[in-house]
Amino acid sequence: MEKRDGEAAAGAGTGGRWSAPGTFAKAAARSLQRAGFCLGILILSFWLLLCGSFSSFAASAVSFEELNSRGVFLKQKTSNTCTLASITMLMRRTALLLGKSDWESITEERLRPQLWTSQGMYAFGTYHSSKNASSRENYAFTYGYHTFSYDYRRMVSLADNRKILKGLLELHPEGVAVFGCYLKNGRQGTHAILLTDYTDGVFYCADPAAMSYPDSSRAVPFGRIPISQASRVTISNICGYWVLSSPARVEGPKTSCSCSSSYAGTYLCTASDCLLIRAGHGSSFAAIGQIPGGSEITVKEGNGAWAHVTYQGISGYASMSYLKKISLAKPKLKKKSLSLLPGETFRMEVKNWEGPIRWESSDKTVAKVSKKGLVRALSPGDCTIFANLSDKTRLKMSLHVELPEISRKKLVLTEGKSKKLTVQGTLDREVIWSSSRPEVASVTKSGKVRAVMAGTAVIMARVGENELSCSVTVKKADQYVPGEEP
């Protein structure tokens, strides 16, 4: 199969040595009682303490693309070392963020002797059973200059998982190593991955499972991928996690780029077979998806060489060499003119446009418009609502705000008589009539007032958020009321 913009290259990081001077620190852990797989789920965290000269490092200016480049990620060496591989990738990303130039020397092989033992991560990482989890309290071990400790908490619902993991990723740009608990052939199984980031409403991860994982119905892509492409692990079945405790926070990468929204629009994929979606601007980044030739896609930004694309829920970057912009009709507003009553709202819409819009009102005392294009009428008058597009196009809509008026504000009637009231300037909106004292003066749905008995009442007409009133005095047949009509 032909895949444009470069084939995905195989391979992982290189070997070498990596060390960080400092002193050891011990940490304690606690466990909460588990009540079975469905009712009690393990949340596991590790604390990596970095001291000495390591603590003096300031976060380097590493870019989002560098932090998620293909060489940072790994595939597990054996079928049961997904936890070890995930922790290794987490430590690599931490070293990158802390400015360590020899981050590539952090490998499974170098971590395994101290970390992957029957008393260490092996016991927790390979067998995530409730028996093993609950039997280890206040357990800590060291590797080199790093001390690991465990703490147990409980995740009980998908909503809780999403909230907890989003919060953790905000605090930990280096990532969060997690494991999911699932049922396979009626028995509990587990798998560990590294959550890398939460972008545009999507959790991304690096899955150390082999490209062709045993008992898996699909290949597991290399590098940063949406969690929907991970093997067996979903947000809802994540039952534990490991996080870095020190430094308390390392500065995350800057995700901004030089791409411009002037490239925004709908494009046709011209690749003869498919176009790869990459994790960054360049063919050296991991392929996280593909766009079949002939497909239409939406481009948010671009720089002439690479574009920010979204296809079937996967957001990434694609080569613009195989994207052709589809000529669309010129942008235009849904309405060119509009009339509203005070208090009414209207959602503005620009057709044939995908880019950003800056909204503006010529008279904010008449009507205001929100950043999302919601117009609210305030007082009677005329103004213009402008849509300023990022390509310098300026569209406008004329707005008239009408204030309803009632035909009479005062009325004197003799018992048994009636009078029809009307409301002008309703813009065909419904008028709802009511009386403060129906026993004195009643009113029909059409606004006909009937004098019932001597006294005073207020007839009200409501049009949208506007309420109008007419004071009614009802007199007896032989009674004179000053100001009444002859």
Side-chain angles (χ1 to χ4, degrees), residues 215-265:
D215 302 324
S216 178
S217 59
R218 56 196 168 113
V220 180
F222 194 98
R224 175 181 176 265
I225 60 174
I227 195 170
S228 59
Q229 296 184 19
S231 175
R232 302 188 181 100
V233 180
T234 65
I235 293 299
S236 59
N237 72 15
I238 290 176
C239 50
Y241 64 84
W242 293 261
V243 290
L244 180 70
S245 67
S246 178
R249 180 167 184 139
V250 288
E251 183 181 350
K254 297 180 179 179
T255 58
S256 61
C257 62
S258 60
C259 291
S260 169
S261 60
S262 62
Y263 289 91

Side-chain angles (χ1 to χ4, degrees), residues 258-310:
S258 60
C259 291
S260 169
S261 60
S262 62
Y263 289 91
T266 301
Y267 285 72
L268 177 69
C269 176
T270 61
S272 57
D273 194 340
C274 67
L275 176 64
L276 295 178
I277 300 176
R278 298 283 183 178
H281 301 73
S283 57
S284 62
F285 291 95
I288 60 176
Q290 58 186 28
I291 306 165
S295 301
E296 291 186 7
I297 62 168
T298 298
V299 170
K300 294 182 178 179
E301 295 179 309
N303 60 10
W306 290 85
H308 296 233
V309 300
T310 299

